[in-house]
C-alpha cells in the first residue's frame, strides 16, 4: 500500500510516513521576522477563470488610458476595478502615478492574477513588451506591500493630484488576499508616460526595502531582479541616445541663431544624460548585489535533510490543514503553502505526473502531494488536488467535486474517495492524474469509510447499510440485511 506523506526533504523522490503535526501555525512564526509573503487563496475553484480573461481586465483599463496618456482620467469608476490616472504639471519634483483600486466586488484572490491585471494594464497603456510588463508588475506589488499603510512615505514622493486619492487605511497592498477587495489602492509610480521604455519609475519600485523583501524569497528574487536590471539598462541607453540627439539639436540651433531653442535643447541633453548616468549606476549596483546572492546560494548548498515539510493546523474548528516547509536547523519558515484547506491529514506522494500549465506548456513533476482540499460554497469546491513539493502550490484539481466528509484511501495505483453529484454521493476511484476511472452505481454516505478487504471494499450505503464493492470496477457484490437486522 502507498505510504502516507511525511516530513521530507524538498529533493526527496519518495514520500515516507508522517503523522500530522497538531500545532497552530502561529507557533511557527520566527520572532522579529517581517517577510513579505503573499497569502493567496490557493484552494480548488468551483469555476476556473482563464488567464486571458484576467489579463483582459487590465488590458481594458489600459486601452482607455492609452487614448491620451498625458490627460488625467478615472477609468471605470464604480466597477470591480477602477484605474485612476493621476498626472499633472504641478510639483515637478514629485511623481505622478496610476492607482489601481480593487473595489468591494473585486474577485482577484491570488498575487499571480493581480500581477496579470497590472501587466495587462502596463502593456496596453504604455506599450511595454509582455515580459517587461510582468517584471514591473512583480515589483509594483512588492513595493505596495512593503509600504502598505504608510501614507507619509507616499506623501514624500507623490504629487497632490495623486495623494488626494490615497488613504492611510487602504494605500498599498495587504499580504492577505482577504483584505484586498475594498481596501486596496495599488500605486504605480510614473516617470515619463510618453515613453514606451520609461513610463514606470523603476527606481522607486526597486528601492532597497523592496529588493530586501525580494531577497527574503528562497531564490532571492534573482530572476525578477535580473529582468528589472535589463529594463533599467535599456532605459539608460535610451536616455543616453536622447541626450546625444538633444546635444546635436542644440549645436544646430546655435548655428541657426536660435539661442533660446539651443538653451532648451542643452538643458534637455543635460537632464537626459543625468538620467542615463543614474540608471547606469543603479544597474551596476543591482548586478553586483545579484552576483553576490548567486554566489551565496551556490556556496550554501544545504543538505536535503535541512528542509522539513509537514502538515500544520490552519483552522482547528473546521479540521483544515496547510503544508509548511521549515529550516530544520533554525525553525525559520521557508515556505507556507497558499492552500489552507487541506481536509484531514491524508496526504500522499505521487511521482511522474505531467501537468498542463496555464500557458499551455506541459511540466512533468518528479514528486507531487495528493490530498483532498477546499470547501463547498462560493468560489471554492472540494476537489482532489495535486500540490508541488517546492512552492507547495496547487498544480491541478480534479474535475469532480467531492463530498466534504470524504475519506481518501490509496490502494495499489488508485485512490478511493466519495464524489458528490447533486444530492447523492458515490464511491469513486481516481488515478494519480486525478482522473476518475470508476464510479459506483450505488449511492453511499458522504462520510463512508473505505474498508479494503481481500474480498472487496466495505462501504456504507446511503441508507446506512454495509455494502461490498468490487475493487476493480466498484460494482456491488452484495447487500447486507442492515446494521439493525436481528
Amino acid at each position: 500500500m502507498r505510504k502516507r506523506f511525511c516530513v521530507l526533504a524538498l529533493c526527496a523522490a519518495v514520500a515516507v510516513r508522517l503523522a500530522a503535526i497538531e500545532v497552530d501555525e502561529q507557533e511557527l512564526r520566527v520572532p522579529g521576522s517581517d517577510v513579505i509573503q503573499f497569502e493567496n487563496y490557493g484552494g480548488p475553484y468551483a469555476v476556473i477563470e482563464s488567464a486571458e480573461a484576467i489579463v483582459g481586465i487590465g488590458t481594458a483599463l489600459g486601452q482607455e488610458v492609452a487614448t491620451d496618456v498625458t490627460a488625467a482620467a478615472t477609468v471605470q469608476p464604480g466597477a470591480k476595478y477602477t484605474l485612476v490616472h493621476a498626472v499633472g504639471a504641478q510639483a515637478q519634483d514629485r511623481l505622478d502615478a496610476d492607482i489601481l483600486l480593487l473595489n468591494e466586488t473585486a474577485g482577484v484572490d491570488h498575487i499571480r492574477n493581480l500581477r496579470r491585471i497590472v501587466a495587462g494594464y502596463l502593456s496596453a497603456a504604455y506599450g511595454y513588451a509582455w515580459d517587461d510588463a510582468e517584471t514591473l508588475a512583480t515589483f509594483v506589488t512588492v513595493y505596495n506591500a512593503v509600504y502598505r499603510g504608510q501614507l507619509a512615505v507616499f506623501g514624500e514622493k507623490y504629487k497632490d493630484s495623486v495623494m488626494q486619492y490615497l488613504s492611510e487605511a487602504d494605500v498599498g497592498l495587504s499580504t492577505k488576499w482577504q483584505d484586498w477587495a475594498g481596501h486596496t489602492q495599488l500605486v504605480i509610480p510614473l516617470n515619463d508616460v510618453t515613453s514606451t521604455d520609461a513610463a514606470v519609475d523603476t527606481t522607486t519600485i526597486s528601492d532597497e526595502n523592496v529588493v530586501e523583501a525580494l531577497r527574503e524569497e528562497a531564490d532571492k528574487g534573482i530572476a525578477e531582479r535580473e529582468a528589472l536590471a535589463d529594463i533599467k539598462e535599456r532605459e539608460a541607453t535610451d536616455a543616453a541616445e536622447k541626450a546625444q540627439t538633444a546635444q546635436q539639436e542644440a549645436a544646430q540651433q546655435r548655428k541657426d541663431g536660435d539661442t533660446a531653442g539651443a538653451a532648451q535643447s542643452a538643458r534637455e541633453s543635460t537632464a537626459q544624460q543625468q538620467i542615463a548616468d543614474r540608471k547606469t549606476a543603479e544597474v551596476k549596483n543591482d548586478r553586483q548585489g545579484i552576483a553576490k546572492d548567486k554566489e551565496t546560494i551556490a556556496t550554501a548548498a544545504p543538505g536535503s535533510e535541512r528542509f522539513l515539510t509537514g502538515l500544520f493546523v490552519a483552522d482547528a474548528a473546521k479540521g483544515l490543514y496547510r503544508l509548511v516547509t521549515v529550516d530544520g536547523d533554525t525553525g525559520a519558515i521557508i515556505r507556507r503553502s497558499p492552500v489552507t484547506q487541506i481536509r484531514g491529514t491524508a496526504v500522499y506522494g505521487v511521482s511522474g505526473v505531467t501537468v498542463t500549465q496555464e500557458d499551455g506548456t506541459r511540466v512533468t513533476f518528479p514528486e507531487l502531494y495528493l490530498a483532498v482540499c477546499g470547501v463547498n460554497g462560493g468560489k471554492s469546491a472540494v476537489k482532489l488536488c495535486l500540490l508541488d513539493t517546492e512552492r507547495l502550490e496547487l498544480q491541478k484539481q480534479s474535475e469532480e467535486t467531492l463530498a466534504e466528509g470524504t475519506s481518501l484511501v490509496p490502494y495499489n495505483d488508485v485512490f478511493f474517495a466519495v464524489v458528490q453529484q447533486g444530492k447523492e454521493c458515490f464511491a469513486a476511484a481516481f488515478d494519480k492524474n486525478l482522473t476518475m476511472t470508476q464510479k459506483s452505481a450505488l449511492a453511499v454516505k458522504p462520510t463512508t469509510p473505505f474498508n479494503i478487504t481481500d474480498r472487496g471494499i466495505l462501504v456504507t450505503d446511503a441508507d446506512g447499510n454495509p455494502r461490498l464493492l468490487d475493487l476493480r470496477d466498484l460494482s456491488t457484490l452484495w447487500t447486507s440485511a442492515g446494521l439493525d437486522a436481528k
Side-chain angles (χ1 to χ4, degrees):
M1 184 176 294
R2 189 182 308 272
K3 295 180 180 179
R4 289 278 291 277
F5 161 79
C6 81
V7 174
L8 74 160
L10 291 179
C11 297
V14 180
V16 291
R17 189 174 183 84
L18 166 76
I21 304 170
E22 297 286 342
V23 298
D24 192 287
E25 190 195 328
Q26 290 292 334
E27 297 177 18
L28 293 175
R29 298 190 185 279
V30 180
S33 65
D34 189 24
V35 178
I36 298 295
Q37 184 171 34
F38 292 102
E39 296 185 13
N40 311 295
Y41 172 74
Y45 289 88
V47 178
I48 298 178
E49 192 170 7
S50 70
E52 291 79 5
I54 295 167
V55 171
I57 295 169
T59 300
L61 296 169
Q63 286 172 338
E64 293 199 39
V65 169
T67 59
D68 186 358
V69 294
T70 64
T74 299
V75 182
Q76 296 184 9
K80 291 182 178 181
Y81 305 88
T82 299
L83 193 288
V84 178
H85 185 58
V87 295
Q90 78 279 13
Q92 292 302 312
D93 59 332
R94 296 194 179 189
L95 296 172
D96 291 322
D98 286 321
I99 308 166
L100 179 63
L101 306 177
L102 306 187
N103 298 319
E104 291 286 354
T105 54
V108 65
D109 57 12
H110 197 292
I111 192 62
R112 177 179 60 240
N113 288 334
L114 180 56
R115 288 170 178 167
R116 284 173 174 155
I117 292 172
V118 174
Y121 171 75
L122 295 176
S123 180
Y126 304 115
Y128 279 106
W130 181 252
D131 287 348
D132 290 348
E134 283 189 307
T135 298
L136 293 170
T138 296
F139 275 85
V140 164
T141 52
V142 175
Y143 166 70
N144 276 268
V146 167
Y147 294 109
R148 168 70 167 177
Q150 299 182 47
L151 190 64
V153 173
F154 287 92
E156 294 172 357
K157 282 187 171 289
Y158 295 90
K159 297 177 181 178
D160 291 342
S161 56
V162 174
M163 295 305 298
Q164 65 178 318
Y165 295 101
L166 305 181
S167 67
E168 189 167 8
D170 296 337
V171 68
L173 180 67
S174 171
T175 56
K176 301 179 183 296
W177 69 269
Q178 298 96 326
D179 299 335
W180 291 354
H183 300 286
T184 300
Q185 298 161 347
L186 192 80
V187 180
I188 305 172
L190 298 178
N191 180 31
D192 180 1
V193 294
T194 64
S195 172
T196 56
D197 299 308
V200 175
D201 189 327
T202 53
T203 299
T204 297
I205 62 173
S206 63
D207 69 18
E208 61 181 357
N209 293 325
V210 174
V211 171
E212 190 58 33
L214 284 168
R215 291 184 69 249
E216 293 294 341
E217 292 289 334
D219 59 5
K220 295 189 178 296
I222 285 174
E224 294 82 3
R225 290 160 62 195
E226 285 184 324
L228 192 70
D230 290 343
I231 294 173
K232 289 182 179 181
E233 200 163 52
R234 293 198 298 273
E235 288 178 332
T237 300
D238 180 64
E241 290 174 352
K242 288 178 178 177
Q244 185 177 15
T245 298
Q247 188 178 45
Q248 292 170 348
E249 289 176 351
Q252 184 61 48
Q253 287 164 333
R254 290 190 193 98
K255 288 181 181 181
D256 297 339
D258 183 2
T259 305
Q264 177 60 37
S265 294
R267 287 193 292 271
E268 174 65 16
S269 178
T270 300
Q272 289 296 328
Q273 189 58 52
Q274 288 174 342
I275 293 172
D277 293 343
R278 176 165 54 84
K279 289 295 180 183
T280 299
E282 283 185 37
V283 170
K284 181 180 179 180
N285 182 68
D286 291 347
R287 294 205 188 282
Q288 286 176 343
I290 291 167
K292 184 177 179 179
D293 284 340
K294 281 184 174 180
E295 184 178 350
T296 300
I297 291 174
T299 56
S304 60
E305 70 280 358
R306 175 175 172 179
F307 298 104
L308 310 175
T309 299
L311 277 173
F312 292 85
V313 176
D315 189 328
K318 296 180 180 178
L320 301 177
Y321 297 81
R322 80 189 304 177
L323 294 168
V324 177
T325 298
V326 299
D327 186 320
D329 292 341
T330 67
I333 295 175
I334 304 301
R335 184 79 62 189
R336 297 180 183 86
S337 173
V339 183
T340 59
Q341 299 173 336
I342 294 178
R343 305 187 69 85
T345 61
V347 178
Y348 301 94
V350 295
S351 59
V353 176
T354 299
V355 178
T356 300
Q357 305 294 292
E358 292 178 332
D359 61 2
T361 59
R362 290 170 61 80
V363 177
T364 299
F365 290 86
E367 187 77 14
L368 289 167
Y369 302 141
L370 187 150
V372 177
C373 307
V375 294
N376 285 329
K379 69 175 65 178
S380 177
V382 178
K383 303 283 185 90
L384 270 185
C385 297
L386 290 174
L387 291 75
D388 67 85
T389 58
E390 183 175 351
R391 300 191 67 84
L392 309 179
E393 293 182 348
L394 178 65
Q395 295 296 334
K396 189 175 183 180
Q397 66 180 48
S398 63
E399 294 289 337
E400 293 75 20
T401 298
L402 307 185
E404 287 194 348
T406 184
S407 298
L408 178 61
V409 176
Y411 178 75
N412 292 336
D413 292 326
V414 300
F415 296 87
F416 294 110
V418 178
V419 297
Q420 184 168 341
Q421 297 181 344
K423 295 183 179 180
E424 291 189 304
C425 295
F426 303 90
F430 292 84
D431 63 21
K432 66 180 182 180
N433 299 300
L434 309 189
T435 300
M436 186 172 70
T437 57
Q438 302 290 342
K439 188 189 75 171
S440 68
L442 174 76
V444 299
K445 289 283 189 183
T447 56
T448 180
F450 291 97
N451 302 285
I452 308 295
T453 76
D454 56 1
R455 295 192 177 188
I457 311 174
L458 282 170
V459 298
T460 307
D461 71 13
D463 295 323
N465 299 313
R467 298 272 190 150
L468 185 65
L469 305 182
D470 193 308
L471 278 167
R472 295 167 299 179
D473 59 9
L474 298 183
S475 60
T476 304
L477 296 177
W478 54 252
T479 305
S480 78
L483 291 177
D484 296 329
K486 302 297 184 182

